[in-house]
Amino acid sequence: MAPPPPQSQRSPSPSQPSGKSEVSDLKLQLRQLAGSRAPGTDDSKRDLFKKVISNMTIGIDVSALFGEMVMCSATSDIVLKKMCYLYVGNYAKVNPDLALLTINFLQRDCKDQDPMIRGLALRSLCSLRVANLVEYLVGPLGSGLKDNNSYVRTVAVIGVLKLYHISATTCMDADFPETLKHLMLNDQDTQVVANCLSGLQEIWTLESTTSEEAARERETLHSKPVVYYFLNRIKEFSEWAQCLVMELVAKYIPSDNSEIFDIMNLLEDRLQHANGAVVLATIKVFLHLTLSMADVHQQVYERIKAPLLTQVSSGSPEQSYAILSHLHLLVMRAPYIFSSDYKHFYCQYNEPSYVKKLKLEMLTAVANESNTYEIVTELCEYAANVDIPIARESIRAVGKIALQQYDVNAIVDRLLQFLEMEKDYVTSEALVLVKDLLRKYPQWSQDCIAVVGNISSNNVQEPKAKAALIWMLGEYSQEMHDAPYVLESLIENWDEEHSAEVRLHLLTAVMKCFFKRPPETQKALGAALAAGLADFHQASTIQCISGRECGQPSQTSSFRICRYSEQ
């Protein structure tokens, strides 16, 4: 018999328990240290606690150590307290019976001399989220709201909100919302005030659906005294709290225009804040307050333009995209205000495609007589971009600007240069734009046709581009010497063409060419009509049918076919 394979010599990872035996070993070691007062006990507890937390973090069930962890929490070491609170908070909700074991030591820690331990214990007590234990929260929360330390009061305010979500009746019966209201208007610590505002907004919003009194209290938050109280203290708040205040101000309805201007003057310096969220929240307030004041819109846009442009260039791509999306709406509403700042919308090489695409739309929107040349020059640089979708979008942007009648002469020259580039996607996009330009500016046909005539139809594969080329072959067949023969070759490949749009354009182009050059196109026209009548696509068949009496329905279509007499 062959010998058994050798056992692997790899030792297990210290963070991975080898099985139930390791959990049993941890349990035994924790129990031995629970009542020990020997020097270095806290260090040993730390090592064991770290192993327990590590196992818990990777999904190992260590709930069997609950009792031992609670017993070892009787220490003044704040690090051990934090790890124990983390463990308790993780297992209390799924093990309500075990959570009851933590009540005594958490309530005891809520009365500790160290305010940090009091706050951490109160936070852990409120985070148990066990409905059967809400009665044990009322006393510590009441004491925490009156605590001399601001950190404990801050934690207690959030604890009230947690209690409300566990048991709204208990929270309302203890009159905690009224206590939060008092703290909001009288506490010296701005973080406590901000937490009170956040908590009261959520509580009264939820309660207002069933209580008229709560609805009145919610309206009180939007009253002039409360709003101005926060506005006068706004510089003392943190960035998060300032955004919270801005949301409150945005819901306030000023009595007249004078009050609107007073509020905007109070918030003027927030537009220069280093935090982007504060700047955007302030801009939101400005726009909201002046929504119905059309006469000051231009002044407001001028004022918020610089902060927005600064945020675009200083933030992450995600932040830039969010701000550009808002800027895009303002540009669509008042493009003339941003026409002198078009360079802020130039694309950077390292920007993601979604940011570049939005910038191209904005460059198109702000183009006017004074900046068209610079914008088109920049857009033409993007046509050679390695990012093909962006290159396509840039060419389309050039065409849109041309259709706005800005510096058409220079733009047509650029588009004709695109047609001479040896890139299929550039040629395809340029052909579509040249067709659109010729429809609006037929006076440029001579220059355009001279370049388009050199393009081989075999090199154009995209349906829209091929349809554009065929349209020009039919519309300008007199100027394009080879037009009948090119159309004839395309008809010979009718069955290989899968695009209905191309087939329809081909039928129309052959008919136009026949009226202008009958002898050369007669054969192509017959082949086209025959192919169209045999086509499976309904529109192609309808376009080829003739000889129907006006008003008689076609047997191949529900449409009505009419013969138009020559005038």
Side-chain angles (χ1 to χ4, degrees), residues 461-480:
Q461 300 299 325
E462 295 186 17
K464 286 187 177 295
K466 186 177 288 188
L469 177 60
I470 291 171
W471 179 87
M472 286 183 276
L473 288 170
E475 189 72 18
Y476 300 98
S477 54
Q478 287 180 320
E479 290 84 355
M480 301 175 72

Side-chain angles (χ1 to χ4, degrees), residues 225-458:
V226 175
V227 170
Y228 274 80
Y229 165 75
F230 282 105
L231 284 174
N232 290 327
R233 296 189 63 182
I234 193 168
K235 294 180 182 179
E236 305 172 20
F237 290 104
S238 64
E239 288 87 350
W240 169 79
Q242 289 186 37
C243 293
L244 196 63
V245 172
M246 296 296 181
E247 291 181 11
L248 180 68
V249 176
K251 297 176 182 177
Y252 173 64
I253 302 177
S255 57
D256 53 27
N257 291 351
S258 177
E259 190 175 357
I260 292 176
F261 295 137
D262 290 341
I263 294 175
M264 294 172 67
N265 289 333
L266 281 172
L267 298 176
E268 178 77 16
D269 59 338
R270 297 299 91 190
L271 292 174
Q272 281 80 41
H273 200 280
N275 186 276
V278 175
V279 175
L280 294 177
T282 307
I283 291 172
K284 177 183 176 181
V285 172
F286 276 41
L287 293 174
H288 186 82
L289 291 177
T290 59
L291 195 59
S292 59
M293 303 170 62
D295 54 325
V296 299
H297 281 176
Q298 181 174 349
Q299 299 176 33
V300 174
Y301 296 162
E302 288 283 0
R303 184 64 193 89
I304 66 176
K305 178 178 67 173
L308 282 174
L309 294 175
T310 301
Q311 293 297 321
V312 168
S313 58
S314 61
S316 63
E318 293 78 9
Q319 178 181 331
S320 297
Y321 180 78
I323 298 172
L324 280 170
S325 298
H326 289 80
L327 266 173
H328 184 262
L329 295 176
L330 298 179
V331 167
M332 294 296 104
R333 183 177 295 182
Y336 54 90
I337 293 178
F338 298 88
S339 59
S340 60
D341 302 286
Y342 61 90
K343 290 185 178 180
H344 287 88
F345 307 135
Y346 282 0
C347 299
Q348 305 297 322
Y349 75 94
N350 58 346
E351 289 178 332
S353 297
Y354 55 86
V355 173
K356 291 180 179 179
K357 185 175 180 180
L358 195 54
K359 284 188 171 182
L360 291 177
E361 293 180 11
M362 299 174 74
L363 282 172
T364 306
V366 300
N368 57 22
E369 293 87 343
S370 61
N371 59 23
T372 294
Y373 179 79
E374 290 80 5
I375 291 177
V376 171
T377 301
E378 180 71 15
L379 291 174
C380 290
E381 295 293 329
Y382 305 154
N385 199 306
V386 292
D387 188 349
I388 294 179
I390 295 302
R392 288 179 178 273
E393 290 292 337
S394 64
I395 298 173
R396 292 171 192 162
V398 172
K400 291 177 183 178
I401 294 174
L403 294 175
Q404 294 172 358
Q405 299 182 353
Y406 297 140
D407 199 7
V408 179
N409 189 1
I411 295 177
V412 170
D413 291 340
R414 298 297 180 89
L415 288 177
L416 296 180
Q417 291 176 11
F418 290 154
L419 290 175
E420 297 173 353
M421 293 178 65
E422 297 181 355
K423 293 185 178 181
D424 295 341
Y425 62 91
V426 175
T427 303
S428 298
E429 293 294 337
L431 278 172
V432 175
L433 293 178
V434 168
K435 179 200 70 172
D436 294 337
L437 283 174
L438 288 179
R439 282 180 166 176
K440 188 170 185 178
Y441 309 112
Q443 64 270 24
W444 294 101
S445 61
Q446 187 174 358
D447 294 336
C448 294
I449 295 306
V451 178
V452 172
N454 297 325
I455 298 176
S456 173
S457 60
N458 296 326

